[in-house]
Amino acid sequence: GQQLNQSPQSMFIQEGEDVSMNCTSSSIFNTWLWYKQDPGEGPVLLIALYKAGELTSNGRLTAQFGITRKDSFLNISASIPSDVGIYFCAGTQGAQKLVFGQGTRLTINP
Amino acid sequence: DVKVTQSSRYLVKRTGEKVFLECVQDMDHENMFWYRQDPGLGLRLIYFSYDVKMKEKGDIPEGYSVSREKKERFSLILESASTNQTSMYLCASSPTGPGRGYTFGSGTRLTVV
């Protein structure tokens, strides 16, 4: 099945650094969502984007729905230890079913 | 607090056993999904259901079946467990409507020995 191209696959950063990750597709998506998965838990929705060009923030997190509707990015500012986990992008093309990226594993050195 | 509950966090089963993974949601969602998660492969859709007694194959249905007799419950069945089905299994639900995000359960880590 189709998957979104998410990069980077992993990141190793120092506490306090900013983080940026993105998701791209060869086809148009109507909705973009970003999830975070803590170790040993299921993914939890962080941000949902519904319009091309939309920029949405949730605390230190900022995400954007690309103008072409084929990409999205997620930024985390001033990272802290609890930001550790796997971040997934996901999108829909009109149907109920989400298509997921392969995830970005974030590791933070204190 | 609304949620999706998976009956077991950890399971160890023997090769050839029939395995049932149960998932219950309390949000009156129409749609329910089963995924497996393996390192480097992301989330892969096994089966999903848009309504009671309805099921559709996802991307990797081989070796699995599902049952949805009630709206709130979606069961994943491994007919004859094999070692390559050792994985983290995630259940999710969502309401009907485009772009509605999923609510995931905490996952069941299944080991087949």
Side-chain angles (χ1 to χ4, degrees):
Chain A
Q2 181 182 8
Q3 279 200 320
L4 299 171
N5 300 312
Q6 186 172 350
S7 65
Q9 290 189 18
S10 60
M11 302 182 73
F12 299 84
I13 63 169
Q14 296 294 123
E15 184 177 350
E17 285 185 25
D18 296 343
V19 172
S20 184
M21 60 191 78
N22 69 79
C23 231
T24 61
S25 171
S26 58
S27 53
I28 288 173
F29 281 76
N30 298 323
T31 305
W32 286 91
L33 304 108
W34 285 91
Y35 285 83
K36 183 197 176 195
Q37 184 179 27
D38 289 327
E41 298 293 331
V44 173
L45 182 64
L46 297 174
I47 291 179
L49 303 157
Y50 298 104
K51 292 182 182 178
E54 181 180 355
L55 184 72
T56 297
S57 294
N58 179 4
R60 294 178 296 106
L61 277 59
T62 302
Q64 185 159 28
F65 192 141
I67 286 291
T68 65
R69 297 168 66 190
K70 294 182 179 181
D71 62 343
S72 178
F73 72 75
L74 175 71
N75 288 342
I76 306 172
S77 63
S79 58
I80 60 177
S82 62
D83 291 334
V84 164
I86 303 175
Y87 292 80
F88 290 99
C89 63
T92 64
Q93 296 175 302
Q96 308 295 331
K97 201 164 47 146
L98 285 179
V99 177
F100 284 90
Q102 292 187 310
T104 296
R105 183 180 293 274
L106 179 62
T107 303
I108 298 175
N109 298 316
Chain B
D1 194 19
V2 294
K3 57 184 171 182
V4 176
T5 302
Q6 294 184 231
S7 54
S8 305
R9 292 299 298 268
Y10 300 94
L11 275 179
V12 180
K13 296 292 182 181
R14 294 194 180 278
T15 301
E17 277 193 74
K18 190 169 186 176
V19 180
F20 293 85
L21 302 183
E22 305 288 346
C23 176
V24 177
Q25 51 97 3
D26 63 2
M27 297 167 281
D28 201 35
H29 284 172
E30 292 79 15
N31 310 315
M32 296 189 75
F33 307 84
W34 274 106
Y35 287 86
R36 65 177 282 177
Q37 182 178 19
D38 301 288
L41 297 178
L43 300 171
R44 293 185 291 169
L45 182 63
I46 305 171
Y47 267 97
F48 59 104
S49 169
Y50 290 152
D51 201 352
V52 176
K53 296 191 185 295
M54 175 272 177
K55 61 185 178 184
E56 288 195 35
K57 293 180 180 179
D59 300 320
I60 52 164
E62 295 77 20
Y64 303 94
S65 63
V66 291
S67 172
R68 193 163 181 204
E69 295 295 318
K70 294 185 178 181
K71 187 176 186 179
E72 67 270 19
R73 186 180 296 271
F74 193 35
S75 303
L76 179 69
I77 304 157
L78 285 65
E79 297 291 343
S80 177
S82 63
T83 55
N84 63 12
Q85 292 178 310
T86 292
S87 187
M88 168 73 105
Y89 289 87
L90 289 162
C91 176
S93 71
S94 75
T96 296
R100 303 299 295 271
Y102 296 179
T103 301
F104 282 89
S106 296
T108 295
R109 186 164 293 282
L110 173 67
T111 302
V112 182
V113 298

